[in-house]
Amino acid sequence: MTTITLPSPVSVPREVALGAVHALPILAGAVPFGLLLGSLAAKAGLTPLDMGLMSGIIFAGSSQFVTVEMWGHGAPGLAVIASVLLVNLRHLLMGATLAPRFQGVPPVRAALALFFMTDEVWALALRRGGQLTFAYWFGVGLTLYVGWLCATVAGTLAGALVSDPAAWGLDFTFIAVFLCLLAGLWSGAGSLPPWLASAAAALAVHSLLPGGPWHILAGAVAGGAVAAWRGRSATPGQEAK
Amino acid sequence: MDTTLFDPGLLGVIVAAGLLTWMTRVGGPWLIARVRLGPAANAALEATPGAVLVALVAPAALSRPSDAIAALFVCLIARRVPMALAVALGVLAVVILRRLL
């Protein structure tokens, strides 16, 4: 069986501890981002409680950067919500790859566990393969959850200390983070056509409607359309060759 | 003094965004058991996260030459060094380039 249900010989505390240990290097990388997100949130007018609620309820780094940036620029709430959804659509694909691990898991337990599925939790879970246990999953997930919550709130509390993000190039951090995430999605020259279509559409719409979120939607639709057209006759098996 | 503890409007946005985010997390395993996507829909779905990120950065990254060069630099190092370092070097690059250009 390769389900996430706990096989009897495995010690629960040991699996939780193993997950926590595996999460530590990721946490070390996430904490500076949490601090930075918090300080940017403070600049955008968010309180520490706002930040804590956001980290506790959304718990998704890049979409929280999007939320803070858009909210700080006065974007309408619905636009922020739509953008978060678009940014996090990748979870659908990531979760789909973990489907065999969740086969036969009680729905409530799966729904609870999947709340913690960030890019990093997903990557570690995938690496565990058939050895993946519910306890390991929570060891990773809760470590990152508590660490992220603390880092973002601490960053917001300290945020007043950062005077002008742009003077320190900190506004570029958003761009750099998203570019790094993008680089992780690169899968060869085939990635390029949808990305170029997205860039062209986003730039065009942004020049017509600057400040709004519509360029994000336009880019997503244009990129998706190009990918659909290119992939219309391919089957997954053919793509693998 | 600003004595606001939290912003109710923002809380509504956070709860809605959080709920939708959670649905994207639960939705993968749920959908895979029920829906069979055609090749075109599958390709579109696969390309969506990248397209969203491109659309997010393109206007800002190409807003001035200094930022465009720094963005290119981040793309080149992103897969060779840890993300935190790539971001730090990118910020350093943009600070220097903005002074020069």
Side-chain angles (χ1 to χ4, degrees):
Chain A
M1 288 297 288
T2 53
T3 65
I4 201 170
T5 45
L6 203 59
S8 47
V10 177
S11 143
V12 171
R14 191 182 298 171
E15 283 287 295
V16 172
L18 187 65
V21 168
H22 284 180
L24 285 181
I26 293 168
L27 191 62
V31 163
F33 282 101
L35 291 170
L36 178 76
L37 175 62
S39 68
L40 291 170
K43 296 302 291 180
L46 273 71
T47 67
L49 185 56
D50 285 331
M51 192 71 245
L53 288 166
M54 190 196 292
S55 291
I57 293 172
I58 300 181
F59 187 49
S62 38
S63 65
Q64 287 183 237
F65 272 93
V66 173
T67 303
V68 167
E69 192 185 46
M70 291 181 76
W71 191 257
H73 284 93
L78 272 179
V80 179
I81 293 165
S83 300
V84 169
L85 177 62
L86 286 172
V87 172
N88 288 331
L89 272 182
R90 69 184 188 285
H91 291 144
L92 281 174
L93 291 166
M94 288 158 41
T97 65
L98 288 178
R101 306 280 159 269
F102 282 89
Q103 229 165 20
V105 176
V108 173
R109 179 184 282 205
L112 182 65
L114 285 163
F115 170 79
F116 294 97
M117 192 187 73
T118 60
D119 298 5
E120 294 80 9
V121 173
W122 170 76
L124 285 183
L126 204 66
R127 213 178 54 176
R128 283 306 269 174
Q131 290 177 290
L132 180 67
T133 62
F134 198 57
Y136 177 85
W137 178 283
F138 272 92
V140 175
L142 285 174
T143 303
L144 294 179
Y145 186 79
V146 172
W148 180 248
L149 196 63
C150 293
T152 51
V153 171
T156 313
L157 288 168
L161 302 175
V162 184
S163 52
D164 179 14
W168 298 93
L170 291 182
D171 56 321
F172 189 77
T173 306
F174 285 114
I175 300 172
V177 167
F178 293 144
L179 286 175
C180 286
L181 294 170
L182 189 62
L185 294 175
W186 175 260
S187 60
S191 299
L192 217 46
W195 292 6
L196 289 175
S198 170
L203 288 170
V205 171
H206 188 263
S207 66
L208 295 172
L209 302 163
W214 304 110
H215 65 279
I216 302 170
L217 199 58
V221 169
V226 167
W229 184 76
R230 283 171 50 85
R232 67 199 183 283
S233 57
T235 65
Q238 284 170 334
E239 278 172 353
K241 276 175 195 168
Chain B
M1 279 302 288
D2 183 12
T3 53
T4 317
L5 266 181
F6 70 100
D7 181 337
L10 178 58
L11 181 61
V13 169
I14 287 171
V15 169
L19 192 64
L20 286 170
T21 298
W22 174 73
M23 287 170 72
T24 65
R25 288 172 165 150
V26 175
W30 188 85
L31 279 174
I32 210 80
R34 286 163 185 82
V35 181
R36 179 130 189 92
L37 290 177
N42 200 47
L45 193 60
E46 272 179 36
T48 298
V52 170
L53 289 170
V54 167
L56 270 169
V57 298
L62 301 177
S63 60
R64 41 184 171 164
S66 55
D67 291 33
I69 296 169
L72 183 65
F73 170 66
V74 171
C75 290
L76 292 175
I77 64 170
R79 295 188 72 163
R80 295 177 174 86
V81 299
M83 184 163 132
L85 182 61
V87 172
L89 290 174
V91 169
L92 184 66
V94 90
V95 168
I96 294 169
L97 287 163
R98 281 176 184 174
R99 298 261 162 89
L100 295 177
L101 299 175

